[in-house]
Amino acid sequence: MSLPLSHPALLAADPELASLVGSEELLQSETLRLIPSENYVSAAVLEASGTVLQNKYSEGYAGRRYYEGQQVIDQVETLAINRAKAVFGAEHANVQPYSGSPANLAVYLAFARPGDTVMGMSLPMGGHLTHGWGVSATGAWFRGVQYGVRQDTGAIDFDQVRQLARKERPKLIFCGGTAVPRTIDFAAFAEIAREVDAVLVADIAHIAGLIAGGVHPSPVPYADVISTTTHKTLRGPRGAMLMSRETHAKALDKAVFPGLQGGPHNQTTAAIAVALHEAAQPAFRDYARAVVANAKALAEELLARGFDLVSGGTDNHLILMDLTPKEVPGKVAAKALDQAGIVVNYNTVPYDPRKPFDPSGIRIGTPSLTSRGLSTGHMPAVADWIDRGVTAAKGGDEGALIKIRAEVSELMAAYPAPGLPTG
Ligand SMILES: *Cc1c(COP(=O)(O)O)cnc(C)c1O
C-alpha cells in the first residue's frame, strides 16, 4: 500500500520530516491498532489542531486574560467549555490541561498538600501512575496508598477500598484506570469517599467516549472532580479536561492556571471543541455502542481460543489478557504481533509474578478498529490473527508473522482510517 503525498508546505520546507510523517501515516493506515488508549481523530479534529490558533498566547480565562487580542480565542475556549458541559452534563469544565497527567496534578494542587495521603488503584492492578504511584511525582510528593482487584474475580475489591479508606483517611480517592475491563461503580466509590470525607476523583481518561456515548454510567452525579484525557475513546486531540460542580470550579481553575501551567494550547482547545461537537451527534452513540459490541465479541472469540482474560471478559472497550497459559511472556507476544501488523502493548496483569517491564499480559481494545468501521463480524478474524501471532511468537515463526501482516494489511486497505490520506 502507498498513500498519496500530503502536507505540501512541509514537504517543501523539510522533506526529511515530511517523509517521517508519511511513514507514520502509512503505518497507522496498514496496521490493526489495538492499543485501547489510542484512536483515529477525524479530519476535522486534525485540521482544527493545525490552525493559527497555535500562534496566540492566552494565559488566564475568557474575559480575564493577561494578554490582549483575545476576541476570538475567548470564544473558542467558551465554545469548548459549553460543549464539554453539555456532553457530560457537568456544571463546570476546564479545557486547558495539557494532557491527562498535568490535569491530575492540578487536582492534587487544588485539594491536597505535599505529604498528604492519597488513594488510587495500584498500577500493576490497572491504575494510573498519577494516582499516587511511587515513580510518579504524585507518589514522590504525596503518600500514595493503593487498592486492587480480587484475585478470584478480577473485580475491584470494595471491601478493601473501604477498609483502606477508613484506616488511611486519604484526602483524595481516585477511581478509574488504564487497564480496567469492567464498569466502574462510581456510586460505590462515592459512598466510601463521603464516609471518610475524601474528595472523589473519577479519572475517566479511557472511558470518556463511552460515557459521552451513553454506554458507560456517568460519574457526574457521584464524583467531586472528573478528570479526562480527550484523545482516547473521546476521539479528540491529545489534551485533557477537568469537570466538577460549581463549588470546586475556582479551586480547579486556579490550580490549572496559574498553579501549574502557563498559556493554554489554543489549537488543542479548538480541536477539543470539534471533538465534543462530534461526540454530541447521534452517530457518536452508535460509535460507542459499536466499540463495546466489538470488544465483547472479540473477548468471546478469544475465550473460545483458550485465552485467559482478566475478569473473564469485558464491559467496555478494553481486554486484558493473561498469556501465562499460552506460555508466552507479554513482551514477546507484543513484539511478535507488532511484526504481524497488530499493534498492542504488553501489560501487567493483577497478581503478576513477572516484572512490569516483562509482564505476563497484553492489553488490547477496540476504539481504533471501530473508528475504521470494523464490526462484530470481523472479530473472529481478529481473534484468529492474535491466536496465530501468539503461537508464532512462542515458536519464533517469522514466516507466520509475515503472512498475518499481509492479511491484516489487506483488510485494513478496505477500511480506510479517518483523518488519513487514502491511496
Ligand atoms: C491516559 C491516562 C492518563 C494520562 O494521560 P496522559 O495524557 O498520557 O498524560 C491519566 N489517567 C488515566 C486513567 C489514563 O488512562
Side-chain angles (χ1 to χ4, degrees), residues 37 98-102 104 126-131 175-179 203-206 227 229 231-232 238-240 363:
S37 48
Y98 298 142
S99 212
S101 303
N104 283 348
H128 193 259
L129 281 164
T130 56
H131 298 181
C175 61
T178 63
D203 183 345
I204 60 167
H206 260 261
S227 171
T229 58
H231 49 269
K232 299 180 184 176
R238 305 200 80 80
R363 188 185 70 147

Side-chain angles (χ1 to χ4, degrees), residues 254-270:
K254 261 180 62 186
V256 173
F257 176 86
L260 199 63
Q261 298 187 167
H265 295 178
N266 298 312
Q267 76 283 8
T268 301
T269 306

Side-chain angles (χ1 to χ4, degrees), residues 331-370:
K331 200 180 198 170
V332 173
K335 300 249 176 248
L337 288 169
D338 194 40
Q339 268 183 282
I342 299 169
V343 190
V344 307
N345 66 276
Y346 60 86
N347 214 96
T348 52
V349 295
Y351 304 96
D352 203 326
R354 302 176 65 94
K355 298 262 178 296
F357 198 61
D358 185 18
S360 299
I362 58 175
R363 188 185 70 147
I364 62 175
T366 52
S368 295
L369 66 80
T370 307

